Amino acid sequence: MMQTLEGAWEPTETVDGWRAVEADGVNLLPTEAFIAQNNFCVNAGMEAAFEQRWAARESALKECEGFVAFSMLRRDSRAKGHGVAPMGDGEANYVSTTIWKDRASFDGWRNGLAFGKAHGEGKAASQQGKSSKAGDGEGSAGPPPMWARPPQPVFYEATLVIASSEGA
């Protein structure tokens, strides 16, 4: 793999554009990175507010030990053609993805202060997932929630990582 983002990975030889690794068909390849994703099922009509919320939030990820990259992915529901599955009701239409040097780096962030700050520790539970403060149950309807259900985390161990020296 190529060195990228301040030395997160060590260079690895490539042959014809692919990694030169020994794979015996019996043992798993070594883990080269750790990926954490949150799948969001954003309600129709709330997409712009959801994207604005992410665009406006402060992030300390760059300062975290072992952080490599972040991406917010929006499902391309307009894609058509062979092999493109239609989007089903209740299916995630946004995915936040962080790439970490290893699981220990992710766990360090997850258990640290930056995680609590980024995920609204100290905010009222009623505000989580709302575009602004929700109704208080006393006749105030408030805006609708941004997502249909809480985000669902998914984790991956990355193998066969290929990256450019410039990053994404």
Side-chain angles (χ1 to χ4, degrees):
M1 122 188 62
M2 302 289 287
Q3 184 173 352
T4 180
L5 299 174
E6 300 180 23
W9 292 309
E10 296 298 320
T12 300
E13 181 183 353
T14 59
V15 177
D16 296 326
W18 194 248
R19 299 274 317 285
V21 297
E22 294 293 324
D24 60 16
V26 176
N27 298 299
L28 294 176
L29 295 171
T31 300
E32 298 176 350
F34 183 77
I35 295 24
Q37 295 183 318
N38 273 313
N39 295 309
F40 294 90
C41 189
V42 177
N43 289 327
M46 297 304 294
E47 298 90 350
F50 179 80
E51 291 182 15
Q52 190 280 330
R53 180 176 178 171
W54 278 88
R57 71 188 282 169
E58 292 181 34
S59 175
L61 286 172
K62 288 174 123 177
E63 288 80 45
C64 294
E65 181 71 30
F67 170 75
V68 176
F70 171 86
S71 294
M72 175 59 73
L73 308 174
R74 176 179 56 222
R75 174 86 181 260
D76 181 0
S77 61
R78 297 170 296 186
K80 305 286 185 228
H82 178 72
V84 177
M87 218 167 121
D89 289 338
E91 191 173 342
N93 50 355
Y94 285 85
V95 179
S96 67
T97 303
T98 52
I99 302 175
W100 299 87
K101 181 179 176 184
D102 51 31
R103 173 123 198 171
S105 297
F106 169 77
D107 287 340
W109 169 76
R110 174 69 175 89
N111 296 320
L113 297 175
F115 176 88
K117 183 176 179 182
H119 290 82
E121 275 187 10
K123 288 184 180 178
S126 65
Q127 287 185 335
Q128 298 300 317
K130 308 291 184 193
S131 57
S132 63
K133 187 171 181 181
D136 59 11
E138 296 181 16
S140 174
M146 282 192 195
W147 49 76
R149 63 176 185 261
Q152 297 177 323
V154 180
F155 305 103
Y156 296 93
E157 294 178 327
T159 61
L160 298 175
V161 175
I162 299 174
S164 72
S165 59
E166 294 81 30

